[in-house]
């Protein structure tokens, strides 16, 4: 004690006939001279400076410009625009700069980039080690003309990195990020924490390794600690372990067993994020709460859906009330009370058609929902399946994310569904591999995606169209009329009116995106954004134009008694009748009507459309284009947000496309779409690490007989009906 007191907690004990041993009262290592504070929760947070890796500030990775991204097609020469980001700008400055460097370093600009010697490629990518003779118009201008001088060429990658670091524009940074890829931090290797945090282990597992486990595996690990820890350790950890295990159980109950704890929030689907919030509410143990849920079954396989229904029932049994907006048949059947609103959409809806128990809805003949629940109406199983055109797209050795080195043959000229439980690898296969490889192969402006050896058969398709649920625009300016091109015809029509001709108004006068005809008080938005410090921004209608977007003079021009603002306020159904004698406009409106969007307004802001609505607007836009019969359409759960009545319409549209020789490839959980498809590729058997295999493939009848497939179990029942 005296020695420790005198030496500030550090003593050396000299044992006779043995080595000297150092003892310390502090959390320190006398060999490497490192010390750290007492363990606290903040040490294990990468958002805290105490826990974050010093090299990457807790990000786990840093963005780097990659050579293969800036030269996606190395068969092109420098003169042909091999450096894609520079060629894309069309700025002659970059080509002149390359010519100066090439002349001095004897680099051949006319041969494919891949055939250049490595030292020449390195000069282009990373710059010259010695000064290069420059003669460039944009570098130095003198009264005597252009002057030749010597300077270091910094290289394409350092130049772009410098521009990226310098800019404050989110748009420009986003453009640069197209050529960048996140590389793991060299110190923490993606763990995001400092060595002290990672050095603390429970049963030989550190916090990063724990959070990298799937929720199912993590639950097993936490449960195993109850058997491993001794009485002293359990006295400390018991309450914590119980709490952690309970929270993990809630996530398991809502069907999220395949997610990892450290999964980035930005990569979660809307349905996954909603179910995580739902698990949080179950964990709170509250009663007397009114919960309002919007289609919680989105993205769920039937086997996971039953878990969700059990969770909702559990919330109700705690003494809460749940109001669920839903189209899923199983969820409707499990409800205590049903309110059916209709009879149809938009101006034809808004009435309570039926209410009560499931039997009350089924017995109500005015209810379209009741018609489908009672099987008075149903989506029929086709009597025959398409044979296809005999060609295939072959995916060879796909190993992206959880895919287990699978080979997949996609028959062309058919309606194909990719099925499987949530997290089985469907999106990885279709969008991360097939879609990105198609862009690489057909457009030649992106690098070959990682996660697959090769994909063959693209010579049998002329284009691939990805119709996902991302917004059709991120600002109020984008709307269904502008996205589908319908607005071009409408503006042209208004410019042809006598009033417009007398006033000298051209087509541009009727655009709210350019000066002249728009209201300048709101710049054509129709709304004013009021920034609220520390609160979300508030949008209010423009006081000058009252939300009409145009100035008074433009609104005075009318067609059949309606101004351009009145037309934008029309629903698709109203506009279809209004423009029935204008084929150019009527044809585009008809496609919106055919995909079940008769109720949306032509000028409805893109930001107010649901994911399913946005997807159908995109589908309508593609239907307006001339079909070649060799198109591959990729759709991600097109049934989301659709009633059986609307789903019937969508199936009719997709069948027409397939009947024309096109290939429809759909990721889907909805059994009504699965049962009408020609070919099924079922992935699984489970999600996460337990998924990524082909469980079954073939016609719905063939897949229904597979004993290892969860999809088969539910599909078999549908094919019986």
């Amino acid at each position: 004690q005296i020695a420790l007191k005198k030496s500030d907690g550090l003593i050396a004990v000299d044992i006779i006939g043995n080595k000297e041993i150092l003892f310390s009262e502090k959390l320190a290592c006398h060999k490497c001279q490192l010390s750290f504070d007492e363990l606290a929760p903040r040490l294990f947070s990468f958002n805290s400076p105490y826990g974050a890796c010093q090299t990457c500030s807790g990000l786990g990775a840093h963005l780097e410009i990659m050579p293969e991204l800036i030269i996606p097609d190395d068969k092109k020469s420098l003169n042909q625009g091999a450096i894609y980001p520079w060629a894309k700008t069309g700025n002659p400055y970059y080509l002149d700069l390359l010519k100066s460097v090439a002349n001095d370093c004897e680099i051949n600009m006319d041969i494919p980039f891949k055939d250049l010697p490595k030292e020449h490629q390195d000069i282009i990518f990373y710059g010259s080690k010695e000064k290069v003779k420059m003669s460039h118009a944009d570098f130095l201008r003198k009264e005597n003309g252009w002057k030749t001088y010597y300077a270091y060429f910094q290289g394409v990658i350092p130049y772009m990195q410098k521009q990226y670091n310098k800019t404050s524009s989110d748009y420009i940074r986003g453009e640069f990020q197209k050529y960048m890829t996140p590389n793991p931090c060299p110190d923490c290797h993606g763990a995001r924490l400092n060595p002290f945090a990672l050095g603390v282990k429970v049963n030989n597992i550190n916090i990063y390794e724990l959070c990298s486990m799937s929720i199912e595996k993590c639950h097993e690990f936490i449960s195993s600690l109850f058997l491993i820890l001794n009485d002293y350790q359990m006295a400390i950890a018991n309450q914590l372990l119980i709490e952690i295990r309970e929270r993990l159980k809630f996530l398991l109950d809502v069907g999220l067993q395949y997610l990892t704890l450290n999964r980035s929030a930005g990569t979660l689907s809307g349905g996954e994020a909603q179910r995580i919030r739902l698990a949080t509410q179950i964990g709170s143990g509250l009663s007397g709460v009114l919960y309002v849920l919007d289609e919680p079954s989105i993205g769920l396989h039937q086997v996971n859906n039953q878990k969700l229904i059990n969770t909702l029932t559990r919330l109700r049994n705690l003494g809460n009330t749940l109001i669920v907006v839903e189209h899923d048949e199983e969820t409707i059947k499990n409800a205590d009370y049903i309110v059916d609103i209709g009879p149809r959409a938009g101006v034809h809806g808004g009435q309570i058609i039926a209410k009560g128990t499931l039997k009350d809805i089924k017995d109500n003949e005015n209810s379209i929902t009741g018609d489908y629940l009672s099987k008075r109406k149903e989506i029929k199983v086709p009597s025959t399946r398409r044979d296809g055109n005999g060609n295939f797209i072959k995916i060879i050795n796909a190993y992206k994310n959880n895919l287990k080195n699978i080979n997949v043959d996609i028959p062309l000229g058919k309606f194909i569904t990719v099925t499987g439980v949530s997290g089985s690898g469907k999106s990885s296969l279709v969008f991360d591999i097939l879609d990105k490889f198609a862009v690489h192969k057909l457009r030649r402006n992106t690098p070959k995606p990682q996660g697959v050896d090769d994909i063959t058969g693209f010579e049998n398709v002329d284009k691939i169209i990805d119709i996902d649920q991302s917004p059709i625009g991120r600002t109020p300016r984008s709307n269904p009329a502008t996205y589908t091109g319908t607005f071009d015809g409408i503006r042209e029509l208004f410019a042809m009116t006598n009033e417009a001709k007398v006033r000298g108004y051209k087509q541009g006068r009727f655009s709210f995106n350019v000066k002249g005809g728009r209201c300048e008080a709101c710049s054509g938005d129709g709304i004013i954004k009021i920034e609220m410090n520390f609160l979300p921004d508030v949008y209010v209608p423009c006081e000058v134009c009252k939300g009409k977007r145009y100035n008074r003079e433009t609104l005075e021009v009318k067609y059949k008694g309606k101004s351009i603002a009145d037309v934008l306020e029309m629903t698709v159904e109203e506009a279809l009748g209004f423009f029935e004698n204008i084929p150019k406009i009527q044809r585009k409106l008809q496609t919106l009507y055919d995909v079940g969007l008769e109720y949306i307004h032509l000028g409805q802001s893109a930001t107010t459309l649901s994911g399913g609505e946005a997807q159908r607007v995109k589908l309508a836009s593609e239907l307006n284009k001339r079909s070649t019969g060799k198109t591959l359409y990729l759709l991600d759960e097109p049934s989301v947000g659709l009633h059986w009545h609307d789903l019937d319409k969508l199936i009719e549209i997709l069948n027409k496309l397939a009947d024309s020789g096109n290939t429809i490839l759909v990721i889907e959980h909805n059994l009504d779409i699965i049962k009408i498809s020609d070919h099924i590729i079922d992935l699984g058997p489970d999600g996460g690490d337990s998924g990524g295999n082909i469980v079954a493939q073939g016609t719905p009848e063939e897949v229904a007989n597979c004993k290892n497939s969860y999809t088969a179990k539910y599909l078999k029942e549908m094919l019986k009906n």
Side-chain angles (χ1 to χ4, degrees):
Q1 277 185 316
I2 295 170
L4 285 169
K5 189 174 180 182
K6 293 286 185 183
S7 63
D8 195 25
L10 180 67
I11 61 170
V13 178
D14 191 2
I15 302 171
I16 297 170
N18 213 321
K19 292 181 180 178
E20 186 180 88
I21 303 174
L22 279 172
F23 288 94
S24 173
E25 285 188 321
K26 296 188 168 66
L27 298 171
C29 173
H30 64 273
K31 290 180 181 176
C32 55
Q33 303 300 310
L34 286 175
S35 64
F36 55 98
D37 294 333
E38 212 169 307
L39 297 184
R42 66 183 183 181
L43 177 66
F44 302 98
S45 170
F46 46 74
N47 291 319
S48 163
Y50 293 95
C53 167
Q54 299 299 308
T55 306
C56 64
S57 301
L59 296 174
H62 58 281
L63 290 171
E64 283 185 12
I65 294 172
M66 302 303 289
E68 60 269 25
L69 295 180
I70 60 176
I71 300 190
D73 186 1
D74 59 7
K75 296 183 183 69
K76 286 184 177 179
S77 68
L78 291 172
N79 272 331
Q80 290 173 328
I83 301 173
Y84 183 69
W86 282 13
K88 181 182 173 186
T89 65
N91 189 340
Y93 166 86
Y94 296 120
L95 186 59
D96 289 348
L97 177 60
L98 286 173
K99 283 178 179 176
S100 286
V101 176
N103 285 337
D104 193 70
C105 299
E106 298 181 356
I107 298 173
N108 191 334
M109 294 186 66
D110 295 314
I111 66 171
F113 188 85
K114 67 183 179 65
D115 294 336
L116 288 175
K118 188 174 186 305
E119 60 266 27
H120 287 176
Q121 292 183 3
D122 287 345
I123 289 172
I124 297 298
F125 283 137
Y126 306 109
S128 57
K129 294 179 181 177
E130 298 177 0
K131 288 187 176 181
V132 177
K133 184 180 178 182
M134 298 280 191
S135 57
H136 195 284
D138 288 344
F139 265 71
L140 190 62
R141 186 168 189 172
K142 298 280 186 183
E143 292 180 5
N144 301 336
W146 310 120
K147 185 176 180 180
T148 300
Y149 65 99
Y150 287 85
Y152 289 104
F153 171 61
Q154 65 186 112
V156 178
I157 290 177
Y159 174 81
M160 290 179 66
Q161 192 75 49
K162 185 179 177 182
Q163 295 297 313
Y164 173 76
N165 295 335
K166 190 167 70 174
T167 185
S168 58
S169 165
D170 289 339
Y171 171 76
I172 294 174
R173 290 178 74 87
E175 286 296 304
F176 276 116
Q177 284 170 7
K178 292 177 182 177
Y179 312 106
M180 304 173 97
T181 188
N183 280 335
C185 168
D187 284 354
C188 69
H189 305 291
R192 308 173 79 173
L193 294 163
N194 63 40
F196 298 121
L198 296 174
V200 180
K201 297 189 176 185
V202 175
N203 198 26
N204 292 322
I205 296 287
N206 66 31
I207 191 166
Y208 172 69
E209 293 165 335
L210 182 73
C211 292
S212 298
M213 292 179 179
S214 68
I215 288 168
E216 187 173 30
K217 290 273 178 66
C218 189
H219 184 266
E220 290 172 6
F221 175 78
I222 295 297
S223 299
S224 71
L225 293 180
F226 284 94
L227 306 173
I228 295 169
L229 300 183
N230 58 39
D231 292 343
Y232 172 72
Q233 291 167 330
M234 280 304 294
I236 300 167
N238 188 46
Q239 288 303 315
L240 284 171
L241 291 175
I242 291 171
E243 182 71 17
I244 294 168
R245 188 171 63 173
E246 281 299 302
R247 288 175 184 269
L248 291 170
K249 181 70 166 61
F250 301 146
L251 290 166
L252 290 174
D253 289 344
V254 292
L256 295 175
Q257 70 280 354
Y258 58 92
L259 292 181
T260 58
L261 287 175
N262 59 6
R263 174 84 170 261
S264 170
T267 64
L268 296 171
S269 69
E272 287 169 338
Q274 186 172 223
R275 279 178 278 147
I276 287 172
R277 291 195 293 271
L278 188 61
T280 306
Q281 292 303 320
I282 303 168
S284 68
L286 295 173
S287 61
V289 177
L290 173 65
Y291 292 105
V292 181
L293 295 94
D294 187 11
E295 297 199 67
S297 69
I298 286 175
L300 277 187
H301 189 275
Q302 285 72 25
V303 73
N304 304 116
N305 198 31
Q306 192 55 54
K307 290 182 180 179
L308 176 69
I309 292 168
N310 294 341
T311 300
L312 297 178
T313 305
R314 184 174 166 189
L315 263 179
R316 178 203 63 190
N317 294 343
L318 285 172
N320 300 301
T321 304
L322 287 87
I323 298 177
V324 184
V325 177
E326 191 55 88
H327 295 106
D328 176 68
E329 185 173 355
E330 284 305 308
T331 309
I332 294 171
K333 286 180 176 178
N334 279 274
D336 301 312
Y337 192 83
I338 303 167
V339 178
D340 186 42
I341 297 178
R344 289 194 288 130
V347 293
H348 302 295
Q351 300 176 47
I352 293 178
I353 304 301
K355 56 184 178 179
T357 62
L358 179 65
K359 185 178 184 306
D360 295 332
I361 306 299
K362 282 183 175 181
D363 293 344
N364 191 320
E365 295 189 358
N366 296 322
S367 167
I368 297 176
T369 305
D371 289 341
Y372 283 95
L373 286 170
S374 62
K375 304 301 180 186
R376 292 192 293 271
K377 286 184 181 179
E378 62 180 327
I379 296 169
K380 301 282 187 186
V381 177
S383 55
T384 59
R385 309 285 181 184
R386 295 177 188 85
D387 294 325
N389 58 25
N391 294 316
F392 292 84
I393 285 179
K394 294 177 180 287
I395 300 174
I396 301 165
N397 194 34
Y399 54 90
K400 179 92 175 180
N401 296 334
N402 66 335
L403 295 174
K404 305 290 195 304
N405 302 90
I406 58 174
N407 298 318
V408 185
D409 291 351
I410 299 171
L412 299 179
K414 291 187 177 186
F415 189 125
I416 306 147
T417 50
V418 181
T419 62
V421 299
S422 304
S424 60
K426 302 184 295 297
S427 295
S428 296
L429 180 69
V430 176
F431 291 103
D432 291 347
I433 290 180
L434 178 60
D435 187 26
K436 289 183 179 177
F437 202 98
V439 173
H440 158 71
K441 204 88 169 178
L442 299 179
R443 296 184 193 165
R444 288 287 178 193
N445 62 358
T446 59
K448 175 187 168 185
Q450 300 295 309
V452 66
D453 285 355
D454 196 14
I455 303 181
T456 61
F458 285 116
E459 66 276 6
N460 300 312
V461 296
D462 58 4
K463 58 180 174 178
I464 292 190
I465 295 169
D466 166 11
I467 306 174
D468 61 12
Q469 295 187 16
S470 60
I472 60 172
R474 300 193 179 278
T475 68
R477 292 180 181 278
S478 183
N479 57 53
T482 56
Y483 189 86
T484 57
T486 311
F487 200 44
D488 295 336
I490 293 171
R491 290 190 294 115
E492 188 180 334
L493 185 65
F494 270 85
M496 291 168 61
T497 61
N498 290 331
E499 185 67 27
K501 288 179 179 177
V502 169
R503 296 181 180 216
Y505 292 168
K506 302 295 182 187
Q507 191 173 331
R509 177 83 192 193
F510 300 96
S511 170
F512 48 74
N513 287 321
V514 295
K515 291 181 179 180
R518 72 183 184 184
C519 169
E520 289 304 325
C522 61
S523 300
D525 284 340
I527 53 177
I528 302 290
K529 181 171 82 170
I530 300 174
E531 293 185 2
M532 307 286 286
N533 292 331
F534 311 112
L535 290 171
D537 295 335
V538 174
Y539 293 89
V540 296
C542 172
E543 293 183 0
V544 178
C545 67
K546 310 298 182 190
K548 293 185 181 291
R549 297 182 165 201
Y550 294 92
N551 57 32
R552 181 175 53 82
E553 293 80 6
T554 306
L555 294 173
E556 287 172 354
V557 178
K558 298 193 175 179
Y559 171 76
K560 290 170 67 171
K562 300 286 186 182
S563 70
I564 187 84
D566 295 332
V567 170
L568 287 173
E569 278 300 308
M570 289 181 179
T571 63
V572 169
E573 189 173 28
E574 290 170 335
L576 201 54
F578 188 74
F579 294 110
E580 62 182 341
N581 297 320
I582 315 293
K584 182 179 178 181
I585 300 172
Q586 194 265 352
R587 189 170 59 251
K588 292 182 177 180
L589 291 171
Q590 186 65 48
T591 57
L592 283 168
Y593 186 91
D594 289 343
V595 296
L597 293 177
E598 69 276 5
Y599 60 91
I600 65 171
H601 295 272
L602 294 185
Q604 187 171 335
S605 169
T607 55
T608 65
L609 296 173
S610 70
E613 287 169 338
Q615 189 174 36
R616 280 179 282 151
V617 170
K618 291 177 186 177
L619 183 59
S621 179
E622 292 302 329
L623 290 171
N624 288 328
K625 299 172 184 175
R626 183 167 295 179
S627 172
T628 60
K630 291 178 69 177
T631 302
L632 173 59
Y633 293 91
L634 306 180
L635 292 93
D636 187 9
E637 294 196 67
S639 67
V640 166
L642 291 189
H643 188 276
W644 288 283
H645 179 69
D646 304 307
L647 192 59
D648 216 351
K649 286 184 183 178
L650 178 67
I651 289 171
E652 188 180 338
I653 295 286
L654 295 176
N655 275 328
K656 278 183 184 177
L657 286 172
D659 289 338
S660 302
N662 301 299
T663 306
I664 315 295
L665 185 62
V666 180
I667 292 176
E668 194 53 84
H669 293 291
N670 189 294
L671 289 166
D672 284 311
I673 287 187
I674 295 170
K675 75 181 183 185
I676 64 99
S677 61
D678 305 310
H679 188 83
I680 296 172
I681 300 167
D682 189 46
L683 297 180
D686 290 293
D689 290 340
S690 303
N693 291 300
I694 295 178
V695 178
Q697 54 184 328
T699 64
E701 288 76 16
E702 289 168 346
V703 170
N705 291 322
C706 177
K707 293 180 180 178
N708 299 325
S709 167
Y710 291 123
T711 305
K713 174 186 170 185
Y714 296 93
L715 183 59
K716 203 168 200 172
E717 293 300 315
M718 292 293 284
L719 294 175
K720 283 180 185 176
N721 297 333

